[in-house]
Amino acid sequence: PMNMADDDDDDDNAYIAPTMALERIMRAVERNNLGTTMWNYCPDNSWLEGDRWNGEDFSIRSTSGARKNRGLMSAVRPFAVRVGRNLEVVSQSFDPTGYLKRYELVVRLNKDANTEGDSDMDGRNDVVIYLPLIHFTDPVVLSPSSAGIEKNAVVQELTWKGLSFKRNKNKNSIRKLVIVNDLAKQKFENDVARANLENESERES
């Protein structure tokens, strides 16, 4: 879906088409708790000739056009990269559209979970999440108080540590982690600051 905009189109609204098309694909993958690998990168891709094979044009990078990167806002997204052996992922979801980025992760104890001993020490109840800076420059974490949070901006990861559960006769209890990055607030603050600077400049002149 990468060639859905004109190669010389500088209009952000027009160029969002490939991003949204890829978002629909990735959303379906996440909702069904599937794994996927995006491997198509052609260093000689061009808007005119695509990937130069079989008429395909799937590369997320192009050598021509006003925009070199295509669909990255959807292709680069948060996900659980390591899950403790006591846990299993129930669902993940992410919405890259708009200024408010929101990632949700739901986990539960797996059927073979070993809850004896100190699971906090060996990572049995930990989840490591990749949080790309392209979306989460200043993440706000909403999670149960019983779990710890460790952020590592260098490797763009967040660790959800020491999750605790109470077993139910009918089903395993679940835990949900929500991470948001309120870029709308940042944009608003930047707009206010810019307006104040402009007002000061007008008064000085």
Side-chain angles (χ1 to χ4, degrees):
M2 300 306 183
N3 59 351
M4 298 174 67
D6 295 334
D7 62 348
D8 59 350
D9 201 336
D10 288 320
D11 184 355
D12 287 337
N13 292 325
Y15 196 79
I16 201 172
T19 297
M20 295 307 296
L22 185 57
E23 160 60 14
R24 293 185 185 97
I25 296 171
M26 299 305 297
R27 189 189 315 156
V29 169
E30 291 170 345
R31 285 183 176 178
N32 290 279
N33 201 20
L34 301 173
T36 185
T37 299
M38 293 193 63
W39 57 269
N40 195 300
Y41 165 71
C42 297
D44 57 350
N45 174 283
S46 69
W47 283 91
L48 181 61
E49 300 182 6
D51 296 339
R52 303 175 190 270
W53 183 82
N54 201 32
E56 294 184 358
D57 190 4
F58 296 112
S59 179
I60 61 175
R61 179 73 175 169
S62 179
T63 60
S64 63
R67 308 299 175 86
K68 305 299 184 183
N69 299 318
R70 307 189 294 177
L72 287 189
M73 296 300 286
S74 291
V76 181
R77 55 205 298 125
F79 66 97
V81 294
R82 291 192 296 277
V83 180
R85 64 178 183 269
N86 275 353
L87 309 174
E88 62 183 12
V89 174
V90 177
S91 65
Q92 300 183 75
S93 63
F94 173 64
D95 181 6
T97 62
Y99 287 105
L100 178 61
K101 312 296 180 180
R102 182 183 180 92
Y103 169 72
E104 291 189 8
L105 171 67
V106 179
V107 299
R108 65 187 174 200
L109 284 176
N110 63 46
K111 61 180 181 180
D112 300 320
N114 179 6
T115 57
E116 297 180 358
D118 192 350
S119 60
D120 291 348
M121 295 298 292
D122 59 17
R124 281 180 283 171
N125 287 9
D126 296 355
V127 181
V128 178
I129 301 158
Y130 170 62
L131 277 185
L133 290 174
I134 192 174
H135 296 298
F136 294 96
T137 54
D138 185 21
V140 178
V141 179
L142 309 176
S143 67
S145 59
S146 60
I149 296 293
E150 291 183 1
K151 301 177 185 179
N152 189 334
V154 175
V155 294
Q156 303 180 72
E157 287 183 349
L158 178 145
T159 303
W160 195 17
K161 297 181 64 68
L163 278 70
S164 60
F165 296 83
K166 291 183 179 180
R167 288 190 179 274
N168 186 291
K169 292 182 178 180
N170 299 320
K171 61 180 180 179
N172 285 341
S173 59
I174 64 172
R175 290 291 179 267
K176 176 189 285 189
L177 177 71
V178 178
I179 302 172
V180 297
N181 195 12
D182 193 353
L183 297 183
K185 180 180 178 182
Q186 294 179 21
K187 181 178 184 299
F188 173 76
E189 292 174 348
N190 291 340
D191 290 344
V192 171
R194 188 180 302 109
N196 290 336
L197 288 174
E198 292 175 353
N199 291 336
E200 290 179 3
S201 298
E202 290 178 358
R203 286 196 294 268
E204 291 175 356
S205 59

